[in-house]
Amino acid sequence: MVNRPMVPVAPIDRKAAARAAILQGAILPILLRLALPTMTVLIAQTAVNIAEAYYVGFLGTGALAGVALVFPVFMLMTTMSNGGLGSGVASSVSRALGAGRQGDADALVLHAIVLAVVFGAVFTIGTRIGGPPLYHALGGRGDALDSAIRYSNYLFAGAIAVWIVNLQASALRGSGNVKVPAMVTLVGALILIPTSPALIFGFGPIPAFGIGGAGIAFGLYYGGALIVLSRYMASGRAGLKLRLVPLEGRLFADILKVGFPAALSTVQLNLTVILVTGAVGVFGVKALAGYGIASRLDYVMIPILFGLSSAVLTMVGIAMGAGNVARAKRVAWVGSAVGVGLMEVIGILVALIPAGWIHLFSHDPDVFGPAQTYLQIVAPAYGLLGLGFVITFAAQGAGHVLWPFLGGTLRMLVAAGLGWLAVWYFGVGMMGIAIIVAASQAAYAGISLIAMASPTVWRAAVGPGGDAELS
């Protein structure tokens, strides 16, 4: 018997295998595999927000209206950190990995955290100083205004932790690692569901903090998530390694060339809701509470679309980084079709049975009427929202943001601009505002489609240090 020397077998390069699958495998199964974990846990997180509103409803209509005043600002922070600057982080990481630049991908994590600290501090300080006059300008008075200020102060105290966690999760999603951020979010959602009412109403030795308890619970969750994700990414098991590296302007520029315009787009989205909220505030507290309930469902659609769209962004970014433009564009079309179909099914169901949503929060007929009117008109346009949203993320994955930004601008001008004109000069009610909001979704989708036909969007992505293209 001849003894043959053992020949070492190279370990399977899982990163290379995952990259090859994204570049060569069937698009829809891979897209769903990347999207479903994020979608599932974001839906769970949304369920927490719904439950929180349900709990607050027991504190009275004034508290519910206070939450409605703060909610657009809260969602501004969430969408700006996840879908705005977070898109810039995910796009940069995915394009770096697609081009085989692992060192840059790792370094981008620390750069993202630095940006998170800056933006988080802006939200904490900004809402503390500017929150009360903003909520007053939006129609907050008496108990509603007091509730809004108290809720806001507790909620945004932990803004830096929120930003760091969301940008870390964006970096992981950009690398194709969707399971870990999904699990962190899911566990947090399961903890928040009992913690929030305990802090709102009190439980045993825990005092009742009222509406502020919801904000405290939120901060505790993100503080824990920050510790877990930071330790995981520093361990090297994440596919991306968090470590101290020299800060480089080219890496900040690569994040911000996509992230900053994308963040402005989220500002547009939330400013639209804030301005429409102000227009509805003219009709009184009951109408404001009704609109808050109805528009909260609009925001429920965002996490669902975000899970799908972040997977599209990752696949498009890796394909563009590898120079496979045709593949990237096919991913964008497949993702758009899924987004339109999913959103339209939900929208039609809600339009047919609006009470199923509204009665989760209020049975007051003066609150129910405006909410029902809004949902029956706006919900059927959710498919248009899905189309524009997915295309926006696809273009961000390709490193281009101009056309999606213009689409968001037009949506804001139609919904907020025409909405205020309609209320103040033509005296329209909730039906008129709802029609205008639905029309703004159509405008957004139409402009976003131009990005799919733009030859400058669908060409090889520019790496860090190159000229940033916005077309």
Side-chain angles (χ1 to χ4, degrees):
M1 181 175 180
V2 179
N3 291 324
R4 293 189 176 94
M6 295 292 292
V7 178
V9 179
I12 297 174
D13 190 337
R14 294 184 178 179
K15 295 178 187 176
R19 177 176 178 270
I22 288 174
L23 291 173
Q24 300 169 12
I27 290 175
L28 184 58
I30 296 173
L31 181 64
L32 294 178
R33 178 173 59 82
L34 291 174
L36 285 176
T38 303
M39 290 175 67
T40 300
V41 297
L42 287 178
I43 291 171
Q45 191 176 48
T46 301
V48 172
N49 292 332
I50 295 171
E52 180 183 279
Y54 173 78
Y55 302 142
V56 170
F58 286 101
L59 299 177
T61 301
L64 199 59
V67 170
L69 291 169
V70 177
F71 194 68
V73 185
F74 164 70
M75 286 306 297
L76 171 62
M77 179 176 70
T78 302
T79 55
M80 184 182 282
S81 57
N82 273 317
L85 204 64
S87 292
V89 172
S91 176
S92 296
V93 169
S94 64
R95 286 183 281 110
L97 292 175
R101 295 183 282 106
Q102 181 68 47
D104 281 347
D106 290 340
L108 284 164
V109 177
L110 180 63
H111 288 70
I113 291 175
V114 172
L115 291 172
V117 172
V118 173
F119 279 87
V122 168
F123 268 87
T124 297
I125 298 170
T127 53
R128 176 70 69 164
I129 297 173
L134 172 62
Y135 307 140
H136 184 273
L138 293 177
R141 301 291 186 273
D143 184 45
L145 180 59
D146 292 340
S147 296
I149 294 172
R150 181 173 174 80
Y151 179 58
S152 176
N153 288 343
Y154 280 107
L155 187 66
F156 291 105
I160 291 177
V162 174
W163 272 87
I164 294 176
V165 168
N166 287 346
L167 292 194
Q168 286 178 324
S170 295
L172 288 171
R173 283 192 291 265
S175 72
N177 183 342
V178 296
K179 292 183 179 179
V180 171
M183 285 302 299
V184 170
T185 305
L186 180 59
V187 171
L190 294 176
I191 293 173
L192 274 176
I193 288 176
T195 302
S196 188
L199 290 169
I200 292 173
F201 304 111
F203 182 78
I206 301 174
F209 290 95
I211 196 170
I216 296 172
F218 183 79
L220 290 175
Y221 156 61
Y222 271 96
L226 170 60
I227 295 172
V228 171
L229 275 182
S230 295
R231 292 186 63 180
Y232 173 69
M233 298 188 76
S235 72
R237 294 181 288 115
L240 295 171
K241 187 172 179 61
L242 170 61
R243 60 175 182 265
L244 292 177
V245 296
L247 298 178
E248 299 183 58
R250 68 184 181 93
L251 296 179
F252 282 122
D254 196 52
I255 293 173
L256 293 174
K257 78 171 188 180
V258 172
F260 186 70
L264 289 179
S265 294
T266 66
V267 171
Q268 291 174 333
L269 171 63
N270 289 278
L271 183 59
T272 300
V273 176
I274 290 171
L275 292 173
V276 174
T277 300
V280 174
V282 174
F283 306 144
V285 172
K286 299 282 190 178
L288 185 62
Y291 170 73
I293 290 170
S295 63
R296 182 176 286 263
L297 183 61
D298 295 353
Y299 276 121
V300 169
M301 300 300 103
I302 301 300
I304 298 173
L305 284 171
F306 179 78
L308 171 65
S309 300
S310 62
V312 170
L313 185 151
T314 297
M315 293 181 69
V316 168
I318 289 176
M320 295 295 283
N324 194 340
V325 177
R327 170 84 173 179
K329 198 168 185 178
R330 285 198 300 273
V331 170
W333 280 122
V334 171
S336 298
V338 174
V340 170
L342 181 61
M343 290 297 100
E344 197 58 32
V345 168
I346 294 174
I348 291 174
L349 288 175
V350 170
L352 291 175
I353 318 173
W357 173 261
I358 301 168
H359 282 163
L360 290 174
F361 311 102
S362 176
H363 291 270
D364 186 332
D366 292 331
V367 172
F368 182 90
Q372 179 184 39
T373 299
Y374 182 90
L375 289 176
Q376 288 181 331
I377 295 171
V378 174
Y382 283 165
L384 296 171
L385 172 65
L387 177 63
F389 201 92
V390 176
I391 291 175
T392 292
F393 273 66
Q396 290 167 357
H400 300 267
V401 292
L402 178 60
W403 285 113
F405 178 76
L406 293 178
T409 301
L410 182 59
R411 176 178 55 192
M412 180 176 67
L413 292 174
V414 172
L418 291 183
W420 270 98
L421 288 174
V423 170
W424 284 102
Y425 291 98
F426 299 100
V428 304
M430 182 62 77
M431 179 177 293
I433 289 179
I435 292 171
I436 291 171
V437 171
S440 74
Q441 302 289 23
Y444 173 52
I447 296 295
S448 297
L449 279 172
I450 298 177
M452 294 300 298
S454 172
T456 55
V457 171
W458 301 103
R459 64 185 183 189
V462 181
D467 295 329
E469 292 286 347
L470 294 180
S471 55

